Amino acid sequence: MEQLTKLSKDQEVISKRLAFNLFFFYTKVNMTFENYITDEEAKGDLLVRLYEQTMNLLSGGSYLEL
């Protein structure tokens, strides 16, 4: 995600396919966390990090400074 953020910085348009794949990836990871990670604090930390990186990527790097 961090590498993709760097590569897509300053680009105004992303393909629908990339948007779909990012959403699908986020959803799959979230479901996997729900099924396999029992430590709620660790799960929350991982989901927040994934959310932040996804938002940072989609905002062109302006959402958060990670």
Side-chain angles (χ1 to χ4, degrees):
M1 292 286 246
E2 290 171 1
Q3 189 65 18
L4 192 51
T5 299
K6 290 176 188 176
L7 290 172
S8 65
K9 188 172 177 130
D10 298 326
Q11 292 185 17
E12 294 297 320
V13 179
I14 64 170
S15 70
K16 287 182 182 181
R17 181 143 181 97
L18 176 57
F20 170 79
N21 285 333
L22 289 168
F23 179 74
F24 183 76
F25 173 75
Y26 178 84
T27 304
K28 274 306 238 189
V29 169
N30 191 7
M31 289 188 308
T32 300
F33 286 170
E34 289 296 322
N35 291 329
Y36 296 106
I37 299 176
T38 57
D39 181 333
E40 291 298 319
E41 186 175 343
K43 185 186 321 183
D45 291 344
L46 290 169
L47 288 174
V48 167
R49 179 106 169 112
L50 177 61
Y51 174 82
E52 290 173 345
Q53 287 188 358
T54 302
M55 290 300 292
N56 204 35
L57 171 64
L58 295 175
S59 70
S62 62
Y63 178 71
L64 293 172
E65 293 297 322
L66 300 175

